[in-house]
Amino acid sequence: MKGRGKYGPYLAAGITAFAVIAAAILLFFLLEHFSAIRTLLETIGYILRPICYGIVLAFLLLPVHRRILAVLTDQCRGIRDPWGKKKNILSAISILLSLIFAFLVLYVLLAMVLPQLYWSLVGLFEALPGYFQSVQQWLTTFLADNPDIQQAVLSYYRTAGAALNQWLSSDLIPNLESASSTLAWLRSELLPQLTGVVSGVSTVVLALVNLLKDIIVAVIVSVYLLARKDVFAAQSKKILYSIFPTRAADLLVEESRSAYRILSGFINGTLVDSFIVGVICLICFTVFQFPYPMLLAVIIGVTNVIPFFGPFIGAIPSGLLILLVSPRQCLYFVIFIFVLQQLDGNILHPKILGSSVGLASFWVLFAVLLFGGLFGFVGMVLGVPVFAMFYSVVSRLVNRGLKKRGLPLSTEEYLGKTGPLAPEKTPSPPEPETSRPPTSR
């Protein structure tokens, strides 16, 4: 024991030095083989893609499953359970009803949107030659004072427009007139061109088969996760409490629950908000007789899922489509989008999402730019709730540290020049002097 106390500091310093050197070697290895590691991670991600789809599906269906299970449990409260299987049976029924509900919602949306979207695209392709003619007339008028530039620009424009017009009039539009002709055209024209590269094996068919396989596996995984969610949660807490101290594990469990509330509230609320915005756009576009109402409503509704930038991403191409038909209607469209975004941002979005995110506008912009640049469209959609979870954890840790030190938690206390924040120590009162007996000399 005495020797251990004597060499304890040297042993701790040696372990620290070894850990630093090992971490440096590991970092160098990761940087040296970054491309191979990235390829390996992409391969693993591709293999586990159906499981990820199943996790997302189970996450979306979890609120529906819990609501149905609560209703069934309340309705079957007085039923006897001699074999102890009532809970499992009710859970299985709620999972089945949740999947049926999801497929019904998807079927209704596709049945409503796809036919209208199809005919909107057909009408857009048929009207493109007239749009090109209108743009050509506008360019001629705009560049009338510069004949050299006018001639150069219009020559390239006429060549591109003639090629596109010929392709539309002779190939695309006749084959989009009906569903049967579209399928025949895809089978006779497109599929041979797509399958010639892969030695006679259709890439499209393989992609559809893989997609069908991923959907089936995702549904199976989601059913398994919904059925075993309580067991998985208990196993996760068991691992946490076996590794960390009790107070740290309690904190991790609490933060995990808070992260789930933030993520689920944001995703479900955003989907509902985007659906409502899409329905409002469809009704108003039909009433105001905007061109391609279903196509524009789908674009606005889908892009509204993206925070901050979504309205602009959807409004710009939609406005350009309307501009080709009527500049006046394009102006009305811009005014309508501005009013709709004010309504959505100030009334619909706060009412539906509430305080599930709680991020300032700057951090929303930061999260969308960062995660969108790293992960594309998925990062733009999920970046805000993920950053909100991180922000919540940091805020809780900061408040916990301030409480330990007896410092104020409000941010207003730290604005401007602040004085000493340490609690002042009140001086202890002086001790009363006691009278001493006189000493005899």
Side-chain angles (χ1 to χ4, degrees):
M1 297 296 292
K2 188 174 181 181
R4 181 181 297 179
K6 181 178 179 181
Y7 296 105
Y10 300 102
L11 181 61
I15 294 175
T16 304
F18 175 78
V20 171
I21 295 173
I25 294 175
L26 179 61
L27 179 61
F28 176 77
F29 177 81
L30 292 176
L31 294 177
E32 184 71 18
H33 301 84
F34 179 76
S35 59
I37 294 174
R38 182 176 180 180
T39 304
L40 176 63
L41 293 177
E42 290 178 352
T43 304
I44 295 175
Y46 179 78
I47 295 172
L48 298 179
R49 182 179 58 182
I51 297 180
C52 296
Y53 292 162
I55 293 173
V56 173
L57 181 60
F59 186 85
L60 295 176
L61 291 180
L62 185 56
V64 181
H65 165 67
R66 285 179 171 173
R67 183 65 59 86
I68 296 176
L69 182 60
V71 173
L72 293 178
T73 304
D74 185 65
Q75 294 294 327
C76 302
R77 193 177 301 276
I79 299 177
R80 297 178 59 186
D81 187 17
W83 298 284
K85 298 292 185 179
K86 183 173 75 171
K87 184 178 180 181
N88 295 333
I89 294 174
L90 293 180
S91 178
I93 295 174
S94 63
I95 292 173
L96 179 61
L97 292 178
S98 302
L99 290 174
I100 293 175
F101 172 78
F103 284 118
L104 283 178
V105 170
L106 184 62
Y107 173 77
V108 170
L109 290 177
L110 293 179
M112 290 173 56
V113 171
L114 284 184
Q116 297 294 329
L117 187 62
Y118 172 80
W119 290 113
S120 296
L121 289 175
V122 171
L124 176 62
F125 289 142
E126 290 178 348
L128 277 179
Y131 297 158
F132 280 108
Q133 186 68 27
S134 300
V135 173
Q136 181 178 350
Q137 293 177 358
W138 178 81
L139 287 175
T140 304
T141 306
F142 182 74
L143 300 175
D145 297 334
N146 300 285
D148 296 334
I149 300 177
Q150 182 190 63
Q151 183 177 2
V153 170
L154 290 180
S155 62
Y156 287 110
Y157 182 80
R158 290 193 189 98
T159 303
L164 182 60
N165 190 15
Q166 182 180 1
W167 178 68
L168 290 174
S169 59
S170 62
D171 194 5
L172 183 62
I173 293 177
N175 292 297
L176 290 178
E177 292 297 333
S178 63
S180 58
S181 61
T182 301
L183 293 177
W185 174 60
L186 290 174
R187 185 172 58 252
S188 61
E189 297 294 333
L190 280 186
L191 288 181
Q193 298 178 7
L194 293 174
T195 57
V197 184
V198 200
S199 64
V201 180
S202 175
T203 307
V204 176
V205 173
L206 289 178
L208 292 176
V209 170
N210 288 329
L211 179 61
L212 182 61
K213 181 259 297 181
D214 291 345
I215 292 175
I216 295 174
V217 175
V219 172
I220 296 173
V221 170
S222 65
V223 171
Y224 190 81
L225 290 176
L226 290 175
R228 303 277 295 177
K229 62 182 184 305
D230 296 330
V231 177
F232 288 148
Q235 290 175 347
S236 302
K237 289 191 286 186
K238 184 178 178 181
I239 294 173
L240 287 177
Y241 282 103
S242 67
I243 297 176
F244 300 99
T246 305
R247 295 186 62 182
D250 289 337
L251 178 62
L252 290 175
V253 170
E254 182 182 357
E255 293 299 332
S256 300
R257 290 173 179 169
S258 176
Y260 168 75
R261 287 193 298 268
I262 292 174
L263 189 60
S264 62
F266 178 84
I267 292 178
N268 295 323
T270 302
L271 292 177
V272 173
D273 178 69
S274 299
F275 177 75
I276 294 175
V277 169
V279 171
I280 293 174
C281 288
L282 178 60
I283 296 174
C284 295
F285 292 165
T286 305
V287 172
F288 297 151
Q289 296 182 352
F290 284 164
Y292 321 116
M294 178 58 72
L295 179 62
L296 299 181
V298 169
I299 294 174
I300 298 297
V302 171
T303 55
N304 195 70
V305 177
I306 303 174
F308 199 86
F309 292 107
F312 304 101
I313 296 175
I316 291 175
S318 302
L320 291 177
L321 286 177
I322 299 177
L323 181 63
L324 294 173
V325 179
S326 172
R328 178 179 296 179
Q329 284 189 323
C330 180
L331 178 61
Y332 296 157
F333 172 79
V334 172
I335 297 174
F336 170 79
I337 292 296
F338 177 77
V339 175
L340 178 64
Q341 290 308 316
Q342 295 300 317
L343 174 66
D344 181 42
N346 297 315
I347 299 177
L348 286 179
H349 200 271
K351 288 291 183 182
I352 296 174
L353 269 73
S355 58
S356 59
V357 178
L359 285 180
S361 300
F362 171 78
W363 293 117
V364 173
L365 175 62
F366 175 82
V368 171
L369 290 177
L370 176 62
F371 289 92
L374 292 175
F375 305 107
F377 178 78
V378 177
M380 297 180 73
V381 175
L382 299 180
V384 173
V386 171
F387 188 81
M389 292 187 293
F390 173 76
Y391 188 87
S392 175
V393 172
V394 173
S395 299
R396 290 174 182 267
L397 293 177
V398 169
N399 291 336
R400 188 181 297 269
L402 292 175
K403 285 181 180 179
K404 286 183 179 180
R405 292 165 176 78
L407 298 176
L409 303 182
S410 177
T411 307
E412 285 75 11
E413 298 289 339
Y414 300 89
L415 294 175
K417 294 182 179 179
T418 57
L421 293 178
E424 297 181 357
K425 296 181 179 180
T426 57
S428 57
E431 297 181 358
E433 295 183 0
T434 57
S435 58
R436 299 180 180 179
T439 57
S440 59
R441 292 183 180 179

